[in-house]
Amino acid sequence: MCDLLTADDTALIDLSIGLEDGPPSEPMPPSIDAFDHEVGAERLAQNLRALGHDIDASDFPEGMGLAWEDLEVIPHAGTHLDAPWHYGPEVDGEPAKTIEEIPLEWCRGNAVVLDFRWMEPGAEISVADLEAALDELGHDLSPGEIVLIQTGADELWGTPDYLTQFPGMGGEGTKYLVERGVNVIGTDAYGFDKPFTAMGERYVESGDEAELWPAHVAGREVEYCQIEKMANLDALPRKTDIPIVAFPIKIENGSAGWVRPVAFIESAGRGADV
């Protein structure tokens, strides 16, 4: 009989950053206008009066209605999954998928964490760097695995440095992973490519358009999704064979969707390497 893993035997590790009102780590920060229960009563009463019902806020129990928030936010704020449509209109000559078209099967599987915290901010993660990280783990990639790029940038969340102090993927490295069957690649940094400042400096020096968002643009040749602004990769008890789910919110014709990646780790007592 199989020794089934149940919910009670599993520890959950949140690998996400949430939506916050105006953090300095977002160049286009969310705006969150929250309404408390008293204001909620006023608004709900107003809606009911518009329907012809004579109701005031004071008619609600304890004068309190329902709390809620009005949000103005792009789908690339907070932890999110980028769809192939974000990178370009086509992938290898075929229409690029928007976020609601992403197969759910892509968004769950076993993850491997590749640690690049040793790299300088602004550096590009190359194929050789990826191969060295995999060799260090003694791990061969399998189709459907999710690769997580660890830069340590999540420790800078809430500061302007979050936008600039991390290494990023290059085009060749991105294609290297996808060509080995990886559909989803995540990073704990602000962006998947190098920081904006690093890309801008390289373009000005070389005049080569290939310096501008090369990892994203690779998605016009090979089909994949990327998770940006992950967190807490250092809380994972191991670097390979990490079951995770990362299902995005569906937005019609969307270039991305907010996601809350969660790792499922065996609790102590079941022989887990924790």
Side-chain angles (χ1 to χ4, degrees):
M1 180 180 294
C2 295
D3 186 15
L4 296 178
L5 182 67
T6 68
D8 291 339
D9 298 317
T10 306
L12 305 181
I13 300 178
D14 187 352
L15 305 177
S16 71
I17 288 172
L19 298 177
E20 300 176 10
D21 188 27
S25 297
E26 297 271 18
M28 290 175 281
S31 173
I32 303 176
D33 192 4
F35 301 96
D36 64 17
H37 302 87
E38 287 77 12
V39 175
E42 293 282 357
R43 287 192 160 209
L44 291 174
Q46 183 179 11
N47 290 339
L48 290 170
R49 287 195 297 271
L51 296 173
H53 304 291
D54 185 17
I55 295 178
D56 292 321
S58 60
D59 294 320
F60 283 84
E62 301 179 86
M64 293 190 294
L66 308 176
W68 73 90
E69 301 78 34
D70 285 345
L71 280 72
E72 182 176 346
V73 59
I74 64 172
H76 298 271
T79 307
H80 61 277
L81 183 81
D82 286 336
W85 174 256
H86 181 50
Y87 319 135
E90 294 183 346
V91 182
D92 195 25
E94 296 295 326
K97 290 181 176 65
T98 52
I99 196 65
E100 77 277 22
E101 297 174 322
I102 300 304
L104 292 180
E105 290 77 12
W106 287 14
C107 305
R108 61 95 175 96
N110 287 333
V112 54
V113 179
L114 303 183
D115 191 344
F116 296 105
R117 288 176 290 182
W118 56 270
M119 294 188 76
E120 291 294 324
E124 182 173 293
I125 300 169
S126 68
V127 171
D129 294 325
L130 294 167
E131 290 177 334
L134 288 166
D135 287 345
E136 184 175 349
L137 294 176
H139 185 78
D140 293 323
L141 289 174
S142 300
E145 278 193 291
I146 295 171
V147 172
L148 305 180
I149 304 297
Q150 186 174 19
T151 71
D154 58 317
E155 296 181 3
L156 299 172
W157 174 256
T159 73
D161 285 344
Y162 180 74
L163 299 171
T164 60
Q165 301 300 299
F166 59 89
M169 288 289 290
E172 293 306 312
T174 301
K175 288 185 282 187
Y176 170 85
L177 294 176
V178 178
E179 288 166 354
R180 279 149 185 78
V182 174
N183 299 313
V184 175
I185 311 168
T187 178
D188 60 5
Y190 165 75
F192 191 61
D193 276 279
K194 299 178 293 294
F196 290 5
T197 52
M199 287 190 290
E201 290 169 0
R202 292 185 183 211
Y203 175 73
V204 169
E205 290 174 0
S206 68
D208 185 356
E209 66 180 13
E211 294 291 354
L212 300 176
W213 280 266
H216 281 68
V217 174
R220 300 176 188 177
E221 299 180 42
V222 293
E223 188 178 48
Y224 82 101
C225 294
Q226 63 200 26
I227 307 173
E228 296 178 323
K229 304 179 190 173
M230 297 183 72
N232 304 323
L233 298 184
D234 58 343
L236 296 170
R238 57 181 182 268
K239 298 289 189 181
T240 62
D241 300 315
I242 305 163
I244 74 168
V245 295
F247 300 131
I249 293 293
K250 294 195 292 185
I251 300 175
E252 185 178 9
N253 299 322
S255 62
W258 303 290
V259 67
R260 188 175 187 178
V262 176
F264 295 75
I265 301 297
E266 300 92 334
S267 296
R270 290 188 57 92
D273 182 21
V274 298

